[in-house]
Amino acid sequence: MDLDAITKHSALHAKPSGLILQYGTAGFRTKAEHLDHVMFRMGLLAVLRSKQTKSTIGVMVTASHNPEEDNGVKLVDPLGEMLAPSWEEHATCLANAEEQDVQRVLLDISEKAAVDLQQDAFVVIGRDTRPSSEKLSQSVIDGITVSGGQFHDYGLLTTPQLHYMVYCRNTQGQYGKATTEGYYQKLSKAFVELTKQAFCSGDECLLLKVDCANGIGALKLREMKNYFSRGLSIQLFNVGTTGKLNHLCGADFVKSHQKPPQGIEMKPNERCCSFDGDADRIIYYYYDADGHFHLIDGDKIATLISSFLKELLLEIGESLNIGVVQTAYANGSSTRYLEEVMKVPVYCTKTGVKHLHHKAQEFDIGIYFEANGHGTAAGDAISDMLVIEAILALKGLTIQQWDALYTDLPNRQLKVKVADRQVISTTDAERKAVTPPGLQEAIDNLVKKYKLSRAFVRPSGTEDIVRVYAEADSQESADSLAHEVSLAVFQLAGGVGESPQPGL
């Protein structure tokens, strides 16, 4: 590695003074204009990781469900998994190093991780459709080339597609062809095979309306539609021609506002789903005949899939051990249904797909979805959509019948701005606050006022806000409990700005 060349190039991607970023579950995320130095340095880091693992590493430029003006970056490990935790720390150190320390930090990482600097390195890059993504991925490429790495730039990809490319390349094509066409063929072949005995003959097609969040999902679904034309008809909305990415649409909007996205026409009992900006989350929903909106989130998706697999295992007489992994955000009704009706064991971990993934690996068949619609390590909305559609077709279920498996307890999520999110620390898979003193006691006392209720708070992984979750026997009670817990957080954990108002 030519350290002098790296130092010279690094000065062209200077770090804004005083900016400190943390590599979290989703990598780095912030306003796009603050990320040039991070992108360059993640190019450098990807080369080191590639040399260390003697494998292809991925770099994805995306901020997923964040607003269009944000951007971010995450690295993908050899088996298409998230970056190893020890390397998350290296990423944070390198991103925050002052200009004069970049050389030293690179050598330090190489030494700590026993990187053979003579080893070849290969990195693949993908990006989402944000206006800033192309320029930022160029900075990644600059970091790769100046440190002597080879690269392939896939251009526009969904995040899960990049995970797929990395895995294919590191299994020498055994998993599939490392091209978008290879990806489409692999998924559509599995879908067509699985649904062979389900679909009626003739022209009867399942209709699904998809809100693409004005993001990359629209481009990729449009390319893929022809591959599974038999049996599934897809109508795309919010395809990016007019609206802004993730603005008033997308999985995160639908889940947090509990209402349909703008820009989609819904008739009663039609199946609809929303992707997020980089197509790694999916949420289903519909209007009933009375015009009421029904949301089907990650919990209900996990329930559908695990029930289906449990039935298949019973049918073939296999006794593989199956487990569902949830976070504290999972609706209490889903946990009860899985444990008591389906007799499937349920485990709770900290929020963040890496924690769920780690636990799921303990089972022969591990199933996990965060309530927000993010399931499996890469969280592939396209693949999840196809498996859901296949199961509904095979079981002959309408969206209403799926929804009726159990009734969600009413819940509410709120955010509270704080001066420093690190004031809050948690335990018991984030269901109990340890600090600040008195907060958990306050929450416990508030919860006692409501029936079938629970509430918890946890710091965001990426910004100075505290997330509040509450559920209870009625929407009114859930809203009221969430508001009262928000006030407790504001008062005890250093809230900033206006005090939380009811109904917001």
Side-chain angles (χ1 to χ4, degrees):
M1 271 170 96
D2 184 343
L3 289 172
D4 292 337
I6 288 173
T7 302
K8 204 157 42 173
H9 274 258
S10 187
L12 303 174
H13 301 278
K15 170 183 173 294
S17 65
L19 182 68
I20 302 287
L21 294 170
Q22 181 79 32
Y23 193 103
T25 301
F28 291 112
R29 271 189 210 166
T30 188
K31 293 277 176 278
E33 63 266 25
H34 297 152
L35 279 167
D36 181 50
H37 71 293
V38 174
M39 297 294 174
F40 173 74
R41 294 175 185 193
M42 288 309 100
L44 303 176
L45 191 75
V47 166
L48 291 184
R49 182 65 172 153
S50 175
K51 287 174 185 284
Q52 191 225 18
T53 57
K54 301 182 175 55
S55 306
T56 296
I57 295 295
V59 179
M60 185 70 200
V61 178
T62 182
S64 192
H65 56 277
N66 281 34
E68 189 168 271
E69 54 275 15
D70 290 357
N71 218 320
V73 59
K74 53 184 171 186
L75 271 63
V76 179
D77 254 0
L79 296 180
E81 294 184 309
M82 302 173 79
L83 188 61
S86 57
W87 280 76
E88 288 185 4
E89 285 175 37
H90 297 327
T92 300
C93 284
L94 185 56
N96 294 324
E98 294 308 327
E99 211 51 62
Q100 65 275 16
D101 298 329
V102 169
Q103 262 200 35
R104 182 185 57 75
V105 172
L106 281 173
L107 288 172
D108 196 33
I109 293 168
S110 304
E111 201 175 302
K112 274 186 189 156
V115 177
D116 174 4
L117 294 175
Q118 303 311 307
Q119 179 69 33
D120 289 341
F122 197 86
V123 180
V124 291
I125 306 145
R127 65 173 192 271
D128 71 10
T129 54
R130 291 163 197 272
S132 58
S133 289
E134 190 168 3
K135 188 169 179 290
L136 289 173
S137 69
Q138 204 45 58
S139 303
V140 175
I141 290 169
D142 203 12
I144 295 165
T145 48
V146 76
S147 48
Q150 301 289 306
F151 72 92
H152 178 79
D153 180 9
Y154 278 102
L156 293 166
L157 285 182
T158 70
T159 297
Q161 283 178 329
L162 186 75
H163 285 260
Y164 167 85
M165 302 303 175
V166 172
Y167 193 32
C168 288
R169 283 173 177 268
N170 288 318
T171 51
Q172 285 66 53
Q174 283 179 314
Y175 186 69
K177 279 204 317 233
T179 60
T180 46
E181 191 183 18
Y183 169 89
Y184 298 144
Q185 284 171 340
K186 185 178 174 72
L187 290 192
S188 56
K189 189 176 164 214
F191 175 74
V192 170
E193 194 62 34
L194 186 57
T195 52
K196 260 206 300 227
Q197 66 259 51
F199 293 123
C200 314
S201 53
D203 295 332
E204 191 174 312
C205 249
L206 294 173
L207 174 66
L208 176 66
K209 292 185 167 179
V210 186
D211 155 33
C212 300
N214 292 314
I216 183 71
L219 299 182
K220 300 303 168 187
L221 264 185
R222 197 175 281 143
E223 288 173 7
M224 190 178 183
K225 268 166 75 167
N226 303 332
Y227 286 83
F228 49 77
S229 52
R230 183 184 158 275
L232 182 60
S233 168
I234 289 179
Q235 272 184 309
L236 307 182
F237 296 84
N238 295 323
V239 294
T241 41
T242 51
K244 271 179 78 171
L245 179 73
N246 295 323
H247 182 60
L248 303 176
C249 62
D252 194 54
F253 173 83
V254 175
K255 170 70 177 159
S256 51
H257 291 84
Q258 301 191 16
K259 65 180 185 189
Q262 285 194 359
I264 190 167
E265 304 147 20
M266 289 172 62
K267 296 193 187 104
N269 298 326
E270 277 186 334
R271 266 195 333 288
C272 305
C273 69
S274 285
F275 289 7
D276 68 338
D278 64 340
D280 65 359
R281 291 181 180 188
I282 186 169
I283 291 285
Y284 270 71
Y285 45 91
Y286 68 99
Y287 273 132
D288 65 22
D290 298 327
H292 294 132
F293 178 73
H294 293 253
L295 179 73
I296 297 182
D297 64 8
D299 299 333
K300 224 159 225 179
I301 294 171
T303 305
L304 179 76
I305 295 170
S306 51
S307 305
F308 177 68
L309 291 174
K310 176 85 190 276
E311 285 162 13
L312 281 187
L313 288 174
L314 287 172
E315 214 172 287
I316 59 172
E318 277 289 345
S319 58
L320 298 172
N321 75 325
I322 185 168
V324 175
V325 190
Q326 296 184 328
T327 70
Y329 285 106
N331 196 281
S333 293
S334 72
T335 314
R336 274 194 289 277
Y337 177 81
L338 285 164
E339 289 182 330
E340 294 167 18
V341 180
M342 292 309 301
K343 304 284 187 261
V344 174
V346 179
Y347 299 84
C348 189
T349 71
K350 283 165 71 173
T351 304
V353 82
K354 60 186 172 188
H355 303 297
L356 292 146
H357 186 69
H358 187 68
K359 186 70 188 172
Q361 285 178 315
E362 295 175 17
F363 304 97
D364 295 328
I365 301 174
I367 298 152
Y368 60 96
F369 259 87
E370 292 181 275
N372 63 25
H374 193 292
T376 70
D380 189 341
I382 294 177
S383 160
D384 293 336
M385 175 190 84
L386 291 176
V387 77
I388 290 163
E389 291 300 314
I391 294 171
L392 292 176
L394 284 164
K395 290 172 73 79
L397 287 177
T398 63
I399 193 160
Q400 303 89 313
Q401 289 167 321
W402 172 21
D403 190 26
L405 287 178
Y406 61 82
T407 305
D408 275 331
L409 281 169
N411 59 86
R412 179 64 64 206
Q413 292 185 46
L414 297 174
K415 297 174 188 172
V416 182
K417 280 191 178 171
V418 291
D420 177 12
R421 67 180 183 271
Q422 291 175 339
V423 166
I424 293 212
S425 61
T426 63
T427 186
D428 186 23
E430 300 177 313
R431 290 176 287 192
K432 295 256 183 289
V434 179
T435 60
L439 179 57
Q440 188 56 47
E441 201 182 331
I443 294 170
D444 290 343
N445 288 331
L446 291 168
V447 164
K448 282 179 196 153
K449 292 164 54 178
Y450 301 94
K451 288 181 188 152
L452 293 176
S453 63
R454 67 184 183 100
F456 66 89
V457 301
R458 54 177 286 272
S460 159
T462 50
E463 49 193 323
D464 281 321
I465 60 172
V466 174
R467 299 185 186 279
V468 173
Y469 178 91
E471 66 183 34
D473 65 334
S474 71
Q475 192 62 58
E476 200 182 342
S477 295
D479 290 349
S480 177
L481 176 56
H483 172 62
E484 289 180 329
V485 171
S486 302
L487 284 175
V489 170
F490 190 84
Q491 285 153 8
L492 296 169
V496 294
E498 272 189 51
S499 168
Q501 300 300 308
L504 291 182

